[in-house]
Amino acid sequence: MTVTFSSTMAISKRKLILCAIAICGYASVKRALVSLSAVHHPSPPAASSLPKSVNVGSESSAHRRRLSNALPNGGCEITWPQPPPANIQITYAASYPGCGARMTWNLVEALTGLQTGDDWNNNGRGEHIVTVKTHYPQSNGILVPFDDKIKRVFIVVRNPLKSIPSFFNHIYEMRNHLPVHSERAPLEEWLKWRDAYVDTEIAEYKKFMIYWMDRFTPENRYIVTYEGLTDDEVGGEVTKGLNEFLGKAEGVTPIDRESVPCVWRAVVKGQPPEKQQTHAIEVPPAVVAPPPPNAVASVNDVNMVNAEHPPLMQQFQLPFTAGFHGSNVEQMQGPNLRRRLDPAHQDSQRKGPDYPRPYTLDQLDKMMKMLKEVAGRYNNEAVHDIMMEYHAKVAVAKAELGGEVVAQPPPPLAVDTIGIAPLQLCDRAAPISLEQELQVNKEYAQCPILDGQLDPKDTTIVLLKGYTVYGRTGNNLIEFMHALQYQRENDVVIGVMLDSWVTKLITSMWMAFPTDNLKGGFMDEGIQQWKAEVERAFCVKIFVNDDELSIYQNVIETSAKEMFQYKHQERMLEYVRFQMHNLRTLFRSYNRGFGVNIKNERVGKHVFCSRCNLW
């Protein structure tokens, strides 16, 4: 095999970059690479130097104003939402109860400047809305009479481990005639309801997910997580994705992208723009008249949210229920009745001891089974990753309760949907926008060897095998990354023997085998699934034995040292862009304490995260 050797300085630069990312995590190194990019590319003009875009002469400009006016340098001003134009394309805002529907309602109005509504028409706006909130098909929601006109949806999801107890807190408030989001249910009340209804709600959660995922095509639905929206680090970026999706609907012109974080801070985190802080005065909830068209709203006005739940919930008196049906019950909400809420957290104003909400082992098993079933139904979409991440957290809860946890495969990277989940490393967010990551993922998604586009007789395999390496873990990572780079630049396919140093590297820190024991051998179904996912993630070919390799006539064996010393042909920034993509692919599946490595040793989250947390 012929390789080009780099100078010692070139090796050191690449080693510094890759080792820094490998040890410190992508989030830490991204800031340095942004500075590096600035050396090679002129900086864009400052926002203050650009002309302001205005809605002059548009059909919708006479019918609406932004709830959050964009100001220079990413600022914003909170104003009142207006009725939408006649040609508005309504979007469903679907969520299982306890997933932040109220918070999202406020956020949509803030981003679009248009009024929202709900499936029970509590605010009397009917079809004159930009989005319609619903929990359907969960028993707390219904489809609207104009359902056939709605062709798109965004779905807000949250780990059922947290959303089900949040839903129960609301039921407790309704049963005891308490204001919404005012009181946490006592632990003994949770235990009673849990034993009676949690199994039902687990089934409801699954029904909810499948209904909305199956009803709309990927281009007409958007997945957003409650965890992402409320995260201090990535919440603003997650909101940018939602803002972009809302803006694709006819009749909707959302706020400028640069001002989205300002709106997010005001609505989700309760941090008003500086000029409006003096307006944040506490006033009691009341029926209010519609404000003048040019009125500026206080942040507390924005946080007074339209009633979320159907009428029967407002007069609920039965001891316990898993859901509500109340379409024939008299409406109890006036058209402009708004409630105050700090939406930074679904339980943010609830008083009372914040007890953990324990489940039984059997309930956690059922929850894990449900999440895995939903994930398996959508293997090639971002919701798969989200459900498996929730699955991993439920498994941790089960382990803490003393139950044995069966190892599960790490979630593969979804590359073909707009609903990709935010990337986090050891509970630290990576500062990359969702749109940018999606664009990069799609750019590198093609894989001819796996898509049947290459004839084995005409394909050259560059084979990585054995356990002889050049250095320790940091070097080994570079060797693997450079092998992928060599494949990209030289019209070859990287082959990996399953029993090799590459598999040892990958399974020890990132993509453990989804089993508790390798005694079943490499032909075990779980190992074959792992093999297929790793092949797709890195566009390589993994061989279990020499028989699988025999159909390829051109096989070149190479060493780890050769790969370490390979000098890339692309420009530095292109090289870094590709390698960061590969590293993000690894980090999306870092070991969380489940599975074994090639040595049949149980992996642990603490091994990976403890090294990252040293920096």
Side-chain angles (χ1 to χ4, degrees):
M1 172 182 174
T2 302
V3 295
T4 305
F5 294 90
S6 62
S7 65
T8 303
M9 181 176 294
I11 293 176
S12 299
K13 287 181 179 178
R14 294 195 305 278
K15 183 175 181 179
L16 177 62
I17 292 171
L18 292 179
C19 280
I21 298 175
I23 297 175
C24 304
Y26 168 73
S28 302
V29 181
K30 177 66 163 62
R31 292 185 287 272
L33 288 169
V34 169
S35 301
L36 175 64
S37 301
V39 175
H40 296 277
H41 297 284
S43 299
S48 57
S49 68
L50 297 177
K52 284 299 299 174
S53 60
V54 292
N55 259 351
V56 179
S58 69
E59 179 183 353
S60 62
S61 61
H63 297 277
R64 58 160 292 190
R65 290 180 181 272
R66 295 184 187 278
L67 175 61
S68 303
N69 291 325
L71 299 179
N73 301 316
C76 63
E77 180 183 47
I78 308 298
T79 60
W80 286 91
Q82 299 296 308
N87 66 335
I88 189 71
Q89 184 183 18
I90 300 175
T91 299
Y92 264 125
S95 63
Y96 174 85
C99 293
R102 289 169 166 265
M103 174 186 70
T104 310
W105 184 323
N106 286 338
L107 197 55
V108 169
E109 287 194 339
L111 294 170
T112 65
L114 302 176
Q115 295 174 343
T116 56
D118 74 298
D119 46 1
W120 296 88
N121 197 26
N122 280 321
N123 57 20
R125 293 170 178 169
E127 299 182 41
H128 305 293
I129 52 179
V130 60
T131 62
V132 54
K133 187 276 308 174
T134 184
H135 296 314
Y136 185 86
Q138 198 269 352
S139 54
N140 196 29
I142 59 173
L143 295 176
V144 293
F146 47 94
D147 172 72
D148 60 329
K149 299 179 182 179
I150 303 179
K151 308 300 181 184
R152 58 203 316 271
V153 64
F154 72 83
I155 310 165
V156 185
V157 299
R158 186 183 185 185
N159 194 329
L161 200 66
K162 301 294 185 181
S163 62
I164 293 177
S166 179
F167 177 39
F168 170 68
N169 280 335
H170 180 81
I171 293 175
Y172 176 80
E173 290 166 340
M174 295 300 99
R175 177 166 58 88
N176 290 278
H177 308 286
L178 299 171
V180 175
H181 287 266
S182 64
E183 197 80 24
R184 293 189 184 94
L187 179 59
E188 58 271 20
E189 295 294 317
W190 158 256
L191 294 175
K192 295 176 185 176
W193 185 88
R194 176 201 71 179
D195 293 342
Y197 292 110
V198 160
D199 287 355
T200 299
E201 289 307 318
I202 291 173
E204 292 270 86
Y205 189 101
K206 178 182 178 181
K207 181 171 66 174
F208 169 86
M209 291 300 305
I210 291 176
Y211 176 84
W212 293 107
M213 289 295 297
D214 285 358
R215 174 171 171 176
F216 293 94
T217 58
E219 61 270 18
N220 289 319
R221 55 172 153 78
Y222 186 82
I223 312 295
V224 61
T225 67
Y226 173 91
E227 293 84 359
L229 280 174
T230 57
D231 185 88
D232 290 339
E233 297 291 335
V234 301
E237 292 299 320
V238 173
T239 305
K240 287 180 181 179
L242 176 60
N243 189 60
E244 180 180 342
F245 179 75
L246 293 170
K248 293 178 180 179
E250 184 178 356
V252 179
T253 305
I255 197 167
D256 295 344
R257 176 183 172 83
E258 68 175 3
S259 294
V260 170
C262 176
V263 174
W264 171 79
R265 286 191 296 271
V267 175
V268 176
K269 293 300 177 180
Q271 300 171 9
E274 183 176 354
K275 291 183 178 180
Q276 294 186 275
Q277 288 180 357
T278 57
H279 296 289
I281 302 173
E282 290 290 332
V283 293
V287 177
V288 296
N294 296 323
V296 174
S298 75
V299 172
N300 280 335
D301 288 330
V302 174
N303 288 345
M304 292 195 301
V305 193
N306 302 74
E308 175 184 355
H309 295 284
L312 186 57
M313 293 189 70
Q314 307 300 330
Q315 53 183 1
F316 169 59
Q317 299 183 31
L318 299 177
F320 299 102
T321 184
F324 305 89
H325 303 275
S327 58
N328 295 322
V329 181
E330 179 182 1
Q331 298 287 335
M332 300 188 65
Q333 305 291 334
N336 292 297
L337 182 62
R338 301 170 70 85
R339 283 195 173 89
R340 178 184 318 284
L341 170 69
D342 171 13
H345 191 276
Q346 191 75 354
D347 295 338
S348 58
Q349 293 194 0
R350 283 190 168 122
K351 300 177 182 178
D354 189 12
Y355 294 115
R357 298 307 193 198
Y359 294 87
T360 67
L361 287 175
D362 180 64
Q363 289 167 343
L364 293 175
D365 277 335
K366 291 176 179 177
M367 194 177 295
M368 291 171 64
K369 181 176 182 292
M370 178 272 292
L371 290 168
K372 190 173 182 181
E373 288 173 349
V374 175
R377 190 180 179 97
Y378 309 103
N379 274 322
N380 297 320
E381 300 199 46
V383 71
H384 176 282
D385 297 8
I386 296 169
M387 293 296 107
M388 291 308 296
E389 181 70 21
Y390 291 166
H391 181 281
K393 291 181 179 180
V394 176
V396 171
K398 179 182 176 182
E400 291 174 350
L401 197 59
E404 181 181 355
V405 178
V406 179
Q408 299 297 333
L413 178 63
V415 298
D416 60 350
T417 67
I418 60 175
I420 189 169
L423 173 61
Q424 291 193 346
L425 304 176
C426 301
D427 301 321
R428 294 181 295 185
I432 178 174
S433 73
L434 302 182
E435 297 89 345
Q436 180 185 2
E437 186 173 4
L438 177 65
Q439 179 181 355
V440 173
N441 290 343
K442 288 186 175 180
E443 179 180 338
Y444 300 124
Q446 300 299 318
C447 187
I449 186 64
L450 300 181
D451 296 336
Q453 301 175 20
L454 299 180
D455 187 338
K457 294 184 295 184
D458 301 323
T459 300
T460 299
I461 299 292
V462 176
L463 188 65
L464 305 175
K465 61 181 296 186
Y467 283 89
T468 301
V469 293
Y470 186 66
R472 301 178 65 181
T473 303
N475 280 20
N476 302 158
L477 177 60
I478 294 173
E479 291 149 16
F480 178 57
M481 296 291 102
H482 280 189
L484 300 177
Q485 187 74 30
Y486 186 87
Q487 171 178 265
R488 173 175 166 81
E489 297 176 348
N490 291 277
D491 194 28
V492 299
V493 173
I494 291 297
V496 176
M497 294 304 296
L498 187 57
D499 190 9
S500 69
W501 65 269
V502 178
T503 309
K504 176 185 176 183
L505 170 73
I506 292 176
T507 58
S508 293
M509 296 186 69
W510 290 285
M511 297 175 168
F513 289 124
T515 181
D516 288 325
N517 198 307
L518 288 176
K519 62 183 180 181
F522 290 150
M523 299 310 294
D524 177 81
E525 180 180 354
I527 306 302
Q528 289 300 304
Q529 179 184 354
W530 175 94
K531 174 176 173 288
E533 291 178 354
V534 174
E535 285 180 331
R536 176 60 63 179
F538 298 106
C539 191
V540 298
K541 189 66 180 173
I542 299 177
F543 302 100
V544 175
N545 50 50
D546 290 337
D547 290 340
E548 293 183 355
L549 187 62
S550 62
I551 63 173
Y552 296 91
Q553 297 181 3
N554 303 315
V555 178
I556 303 174
E557 296 184 6
T558 186
S559 68
K561 181 177 180 179
E562 284 181 306
M563 287 294 96
F564 181 84
Q565 294 177 327
Y566 174 69
K567 181 179 179 179
H568 63 86
Q569 307 300 312
E570 292 184 314
R571 293 173 60 246
M572 175 61 79
L573 287 180
E574 293 170 345
Y575 164 81
V576 170
R577 176 181 169 86
F578 177 62
Q579 298 297 8
M580 287 184 116
H581 162 70
N582 293 325
L583 289 165
R584 283 195 299 270
T585 302
L586 285 171
F587 291 154
R588 278 195 169 277
S589 300
Y590 70 84
N591 290 338
R592 294 168 170 83
F594 310 108
V596 299
N597 61 20
I598 192 67
K599 294 182 177 180
N600 205 25
E601 300 169 335
R602 186 69 176 265
V603 300
K605 175 180 177 180
H606 68 279
V607 174
F608 181 91
C609 291
S610 62
R611 296 177 184 177
C612 285
N613 290 334
L614 291 174
W615 297 80

